[in-house]
Amino acid sequence: FNQAIQVNPKDAVSFLHRGIEWKKQKKEADALKDFNQAIANNPKYPKAYLSRANLYIEQKKVERSFS
């Protein structure tokens, strides 16, 4: 995913998938950054919002999961 992001830093899908990989590695801060970047790159990308919400729920930050 790093190469895809280097080639196209506006690709929301690559940021989402890299964020998912970070989450699997328990690197939640990195995952959150990538989910946020995916949303910034494409505000109409529901999978990015869902992934971020799930991360917040797992972190017991339920209030943030609604944003």
Side-chain angles (χ1 to χ4, degrees):
F1 300 109
N2 292 333
Q3 282 185 327
I5 289 169
Q6 285 181 339
V7 170
N8 183 4
K10 296 292 184 186
D11 182 21
V13 175
S14 294
F15 277 101
L16 172 69
H17 288 287
R18 188 173 73 174
I20 291 168
E21 290 303 314
W22 286 132
K23 187 177 169 201
K24 288 178 185 176
Q25 296 174 29
K26 305 291 186 206
K27 296 182 179 182
E28 295 175 347
D30 292 324
L32 183 58
K33 286 179 191 176
D34 278 357
F35 295 151
N36 285 335
Q37 189 61 53
I39 292 166
N41 289 353
N42 183 356
K44 295 183 179 184
Y45 190 33
K47 289 182 181 180
Y49 286 99
L50 181 60
S51 294
R52 183 175 71 179
N54 286 334
L55 178 61
Y56 280 140
I57 290 168
E58 289 175 13
Q59 292 177 331
K60 309 287 189 234
K61 296 178 183 175
V62 177
E63 307 82 36
R64 289 187 180 183
S65 70
F66 297 112
S67 63

